[in-house]
Amino acid sequence: MSITGIEKLEFGVEDLPTCEKFMQDFGLQPMLQHWGEPRREFTTLSGASVVLHPKNSEVLPAAFEAGSTLRRMTWGVDSPAALAALQPRLEKMPGFRQVGEELECCDPNGMTLRFGVTALREVELPVTPINQWGDVRRIDQPSPVYAKAEPVNIGHVVFFVEDLAATEKFYCEHLGFQVSDRYIDRAVFLRTQVRGGHHNLFLLKLPNRPRGLNHVAFTVRDIHEVIGGGIAMNKENWSTFIGPGRHPISSAYFWYVNSPTGGAFEYYTNDDYLTENWQPRELEHSLVSFTEWAVEGGIDHDTRRQHKKTGAA
């Protein structure tokens, strides 16, 4: 299928100034704003964007959960012909409409989706190699230390879902997503193309948890930028949900920061790259299968030790 990845995420938020500060502290770059325009837009190095709207903005679709949250996500496709070919698949979906040169509908979980020809740009960055036993690649060169992160792209989004089977069917049968791995009767990891990173979308069903946003994940250069970004957010007094750590299911290193937009924002790197030769695994959902290791509360900027909760001994 021709869907390339996430182009844009639009949030409806209750506290626009606080969310604006969070985005800049997180390392996203502010776009030029027009005088009097209530929305705020921020971008990654690739051009993928996060847009903040007031919660009651008339330009937003209905929310799928209460409070500040994601209201619409835009997926890119690789050509106008691919977008035209996608239209018959979407026309029977709830909420279908054509908005300029883009298509819009709702998925079975109540999230509003848009589809348009991708405008993302290729990003070439110097990435310092690592040294491993028998594979020495960094010579006469230290590993980097990052003062803060500068996200390269929006890598994936994670939703709580109420009907896992119906939502998975929509993305796989109508949009051509590929199953990467699965937690039996609990969750599925999906990628947009046969060849690509471990997942662009993760659907998670938990007992007594209604639909909603879990987190949004941003790719960074390497594990050092994951660490630098998380510590910088700690310095700005944004609380860590969990991290740093590593997911064995995708091999990715992560750091999750609680976001005033709803859910969490994640820095991550080193996820598995899959091809047509990959065989999806069916695993029991457990602490061990989801997290190899993780630091609760993050790392304190001043002490460079695990951040202690207020009142902890």
Side-chain angles (χ1 to χ4, degrees):
M1 181 58 75
S2 57
I3 294 176
T4 56
I6 299 167
E7 296 274 321
K8 181 188 297 184
L9 300 174
E10 296 180 72
F11 289 84
V13 301
E14 297 171 334
D15 187 342
L16 193 60
T18 297
C19 292
E20 185 175 6
K21 183 180 187 307
F22 178 90
M23 296 299 156
Q24 295 189 68
D25 290 345
F26 194 77
L28 300 176
Q29 299 302 308
M31 301 288 285
L32 180 65
Q33 304 297 142
H34 297 290
W35 177 257
E37 190 176 49
R39 73 173 195 167
R40 298 291 184 269
E41 186 167 0
F42 302 84
T43 185
T44 65
L45 295 178
S46 70
S49 63
V50 174
V51 183
L52 305 176
H53 300 270
K55 181 183 172 183
N56 60 355
S57 172
E58 294 181 354
V59 306
L60 290 175
F64 74 153
E65 65 176 335
S68 298
T69 191
L70 182 63
R71 300 283 283 273
R72 179 164 49 219
M73 64 186 305
T74 299
W75 294 95
V77 299
D78 59 16
S79 68
L83 185 63
L86 188 61
Q87 183 165 341
R89 296 170 177 258
L90 302 179
E91 286 178 336
K92 297 180 181 179
M93 297 297 112
F96 175 80
R97 63 176 182 148
Q98 189 161 356
V99 184
E101 297 182 352
E102 297 183 325
L103 306 176
E104 183 175 290
C105 71
C106 288
D107 74 7
N109 200 44
M111 174 50 55
T112 298
L113 309 176
R114 275 194 184 173
F115 303 86
V117 177
T118 183
L120 300 189
R121 52 186 173 265
E122 293 291 332
V123 179
E124 294 186 7
L125 295 170
V127 178
T128 305
I130 63 172
N131 289 342
Q132 303 179 99
W133 181 257
D135 185 18
V136 176
R137 301 190 182 193
R138 194 184 70 255
I139 300 172
D140 298 330
Q141 180 185 12
S143 291
V145 175
Y146 293 88
K148 66 180 299 183
E150 194 173 13
V152 179
N153 196 28
I154 301 174
H156 63 261
V157 173
V158 178
F159 292 120
F160 295 113
V161 300
E162 295 175 352
D163 190 333
L164 179 59
T167 309
E168 177 186 342
K169 181 178 180 180
F170 168 81
Y171 282 97
C172 291
E173 293 190 5
H174 293 282
L175 302 181
F177 282 38
Q178 305 291 310
V179 174
S180 296
D181 285 311
R182 185 187 308 278
Y183 289 132
I184 300 170
D185 298 326
R186 179 61 63 87
V188 63
F189 296 86
L190 303 174
R191 62 189 190 277
T192 59
Q193 298 185 333
V194 172
R195 294 190 168 212
H198 185 268
H199 60 282
N200 304 102
L201 185 65
F202 178 39
L203 306 175
L204 175 62
K205 181 178 181 179
L206 296 179
N208 303 315
R209 178 55 167 92
R211 66 186 185 182
L213 175 66
N214 178 276
H215 75 267
V216 177
F218 295 79
T219 51
V220 294
R221 293 169 179 81
D222 52 35
I223 187 174
H224 309 296
E225 193 170 15
V226 170
I227 301 296
I231 291 176
M233 292 298 281
N234 175 278
K235 180 182 179 182
E236 296 297 330
N237 295 314
W238 299 109
S239 65
T240 291
F241 172 64
I242 192 169
R246 194 181 86 98
H247 292 307
I249 189 73
S250 66
S251 302
Y253 297 104
F254 64 79
W255 190 317
Y256 296 85
V257 182
N258 292 311
S259 172
T261 61
F265 272 35
E266 175 193 5
Y267 298 119
Y268 80 102
T269 192
N270 192 53
D271 61 322
D272 297 323
Y273 186 89
L274 308 182
T275 73
E276 62 276 6
N277 297 319
W278 176 256
Q279 296 298 313
R281 297 166 292 179
E282 296 201 356
L283 306 172
E284 293 291 339
H285 183 266
S286 68
L287 184 63
V288 173
S289 67
F290 187 68
T291 307
E292 180 189 41
W293 61 272
V295 177
E296 183 179 4
I299 298 172
D300 185 82
H301 175 270
D302 297 326
T303 66
R304 302 301 165 119
R305 300 294 187 269
Q306 182 177 5
H307 182 74
K308 293 184 178 180
K309 295 181 180 179
T310 303

